[in-house]
Amino acid sequence: MILIAGPCVLESRDTVMRIAESLLPYHEDCTKDFYFKASFDKANRTSLDSFRGPGMDEGLELLQEVKEQFGYKLLTDVHDYTQPHTVAEVVDVLQIPAFLSRQTDLLVACAETSAIVNIKKGQFLAPQAMEHSVAKVLKTRGFDGEVNHADAKKYGVWLTERGSSFGYGNLVVDMRGLRTMREFAPVIFDATHSVQSPASGGATSGGDSSMVPYLSRAAAAVGVDGFFFETHFDPSIALSDGPNMIELKKLESLIKQIDEIRQIVE
């Protein structure tokens, strides 16, 4: 099972290293393909005054330190076509933010690297529409056949479900979409962003982390290739996405439940 976990954004070095150290058991678990996740820049924050992160140069230095100290594979976001080649020198997975999931230049630039490309489904897109984003990466990498799960996995393309817009300030997860997208790519379920309430806090986004376990267990029952959890030792002081994060000390029991469900349905 693919497991992606870490803070939403790179905070202080001490905070990042503390979170990274807490995630070491998942890296050492032979049943998990573990990736440490943190963003060097959150380019789509609600307010201009919100914390965005340390930026690419400083952020990549910190991510490299995490890799060297813990041996983790890394995942981070890229936001425009000028970034992927530099970022891919440090990280193993380039993530396309949901709002940018159709941006051809960005998808192609990521595909030109050797990194896995994780495309987050736009909140505004039907699950089946994501086949075209996958195809852009595959064609750039030399594959011109019918888009399918096996070849997307072979060529290093994933999709991530993070909920769809439902009215104003709310997201909903249609579990049928997990099955649909899994026909043409490995699918990651982003359990923490799926409970986000975009821009519901005025100048910030809110969320309801109490719903994370329920949606995670449902996704495990439907069948996915992996899970994505933004996590923190104290979400109340996190500099981004705190309301929808899962606390580190609660992560172990939830992953155990997911593993048990996966054993039943697979």
Side-chain angles (χ1 to χ4, degrees):
M1 181 181 83
I2 298 166
L3 177 61
I4 302 164
C8 176
V9 65
L10 290 168
E11 300 185 18
S12 70
R13 179 188 177 279
D14 288 347
T15 295
V16 171
M17 289 300 179
R18 180 177 172 184
I19 295 171
E21 185 174 14
S22 297
L23 294 169
L24 192 58
Y26 305 110
H27 172 66
E28 296 173 341
D29 183 347
C30 64
T31 69
K32 306 293 184 295
D33 184 15
F34 177 73
Y35 296 82
F36 179 81
K37 181 271 172 186
S39 299
F40 58 77
D41 180 21
K42 301 300 292 185
N44 61 347
R45 296 301 304 272
T46 303
S47 170
L48 187 62
D49 298 323
S50 295
F51 178 74
R52 289 181 53 166
M56 188 169 75
D57 292 342
E58 183 180 340
L60 289 178
E61 289 180 5
L62 183 50
L63 286 170
Q64 181 66 41
E65 185 177 354
V66 170
K67 174 176 277 192
E68 292 174 356
Q69 181 162 334
F70 299 102
Y72 295 162
K73 290 182 285 188
L74 305 173
L75 179 150
T76 198
D77 302 291
V78 288
H79 298 91
D80 68 67
Y81 72 93
T82 67
Q83 296 177 340
H85 288 275
T86 299
V87 177
E89 293 178 1
V90 175
V91 309
D92 303 273
V93 183
L94 298 172
Q95 182 163 275
I96 309 290
F99 285 122
L100 302 176
S101 58
R102 291 182 56 169
Q103 296 300 306
T104 300
D105 289 346
L106 180 56
L107 288 163
V108 169
C110 289
E112 290 173 344
T113 74
S114 60
I116 294 169
V117 181
N118 183 36
I119 311 168
K120 303 194 81 172
K121 180 178 76 65
Q123 301 93 324
F124 46 88
L125 290 173
Q128 56 268 30
M130 294 305 298
E131 181 177 354
H132 304 294
S133 294
V134 173
K136 291 177 183 180
V137 177
L138 290 178
K139 288 183 178 181
T140 302
R141 291 186 165 175
F143 177 81
D144 201 24
E146 183 176 349
V147 178
N148 63 86
H149 185 283
D151 285 307
K153 180 179 180 179
K154 176 182 176 181
Y155 282 84
V157 191
W158 301 343
L159 289 174
T160 290
E161 170 63 71
R162 52 100 7 106
S164 298
S165 297
F166 187 73
Y168 296 114
N170 194 23
L171 298 171
V172 67
V173 178
D174 182 351
M175 292 292 166
R176 297 173 299 178
L178 301 175
R179 172 61 182 164
T180 297
M181 292 194 297
R182 208 177 184 201
E183 293 180 4
F184 47 83
V187 171
I188 312 298
F189 181 60
D190 182 349
T192 44
H193 279 107
S194 292
V195 300
Q196 190 180 63
S197 300
S200 64
T204 61
S205 291
D208 183 3
S209 61
S210 70
M211 298 302 296
V212 169
Y214 300 101
L215 292 180
S216 300
R217 293 192 293 261
V222 171
V224 291
D225 299 271
F227 288 83
F228 181 123
F229 297 103
E230 288 192 331
T231 185
H232 201 285
F233 53 83
D234 185 357
S236 71
I237 64 170
L239 299 180
S240 178
D241 278 0
N244 50 268
M245 280 184 171
I246 185 165
E247 193 174 357
L248 274 165
K249 67 181 182 181
K250 298 179 180 179
L251 190 58
E252 182 180 1
S253 62
L254 176 54
I255 291 177
K256 182 179 179 181
Q257 292 171 7
I258 289 170
D259 285 340
E260 291 172 350
I261 293 170
R262 284 169 56 86
Q263 289 177 9
I264 295 171
V265 300
E266 293 189 353

